Amino acid sequence: MKFSKKNAKQNTTELRGELSRAHLIISLLSLIAIVLLIVGSTMEVGFDANLSTIASTFLALLAIVSLCISYNLFKHKK
């Protein structure tokens, strides 16, 4: 019984770390997508500027939320 509880707690800690890293990756990818959208909208044959602005806004919101979740998971390791 003690081994299974200890193993479950260890797995939970490892899963929290993995989830924290996954959220960091999501936030980095969304920031890269924002840069690509901005560059694509400034080119002659590119994306629509209004749609790029809307998509960049939503991606920025996603990046902020994901960074906050990652920070909280990393901060509250148990």
Side-chain angles (χ1 to χ4, degrees), residues 53-69:
T53 304
I54 293 169
S56 296
T57 305
F58 284 129
L59 284 170
L61 180 65
L62 174 71
I64 290 170
V65 169
S66 188
L67 281 173
C68 290
I69 290 172

Side-chain angles (χ1 to χ4, degrees), residues 37-38 40-42 46-58:
L37 283 170
I38 291 171
S41 67
T42 58
F47 305 127
D48 183 28
N50 293 332
L51 292 177
S52 294
T53 304
I54 293 169
S56 296
T57 305
F58 284 129

Side-chain angles (χ1 to χ4, degrees), residues 2 7 14-15 18 21 25 32-34 39-40 42-43 50 58-59 61 64-65 67 69 73-74 78:
K2 290 182 182 180
N7 195 17
E14 291 175 10
L15 289 175
E18 289 291 325
R21 284 187 287 278
I25 291 170
I32 291 169
I34 290 171
V39 169
T42 58
M43 299 177 80
N50 293 332
F58 284 129
L59 284 170
L61 180 65
I64 290 170
V65 169
L67 281 173
I69 290 172
L73 286 172
F74 184 73
K78 290 184 181 180

Side-chain angles (χ1 to χ4, degrees), residues 1-11:
M1 283 290 205
K2 290 182 182 180
F3 177 72
S4 64
K5 287 182 182 180
K6 182 180 177 184
N7 195 17
K9 188 171 187 174
Q10 182 183 7
N11 287 338

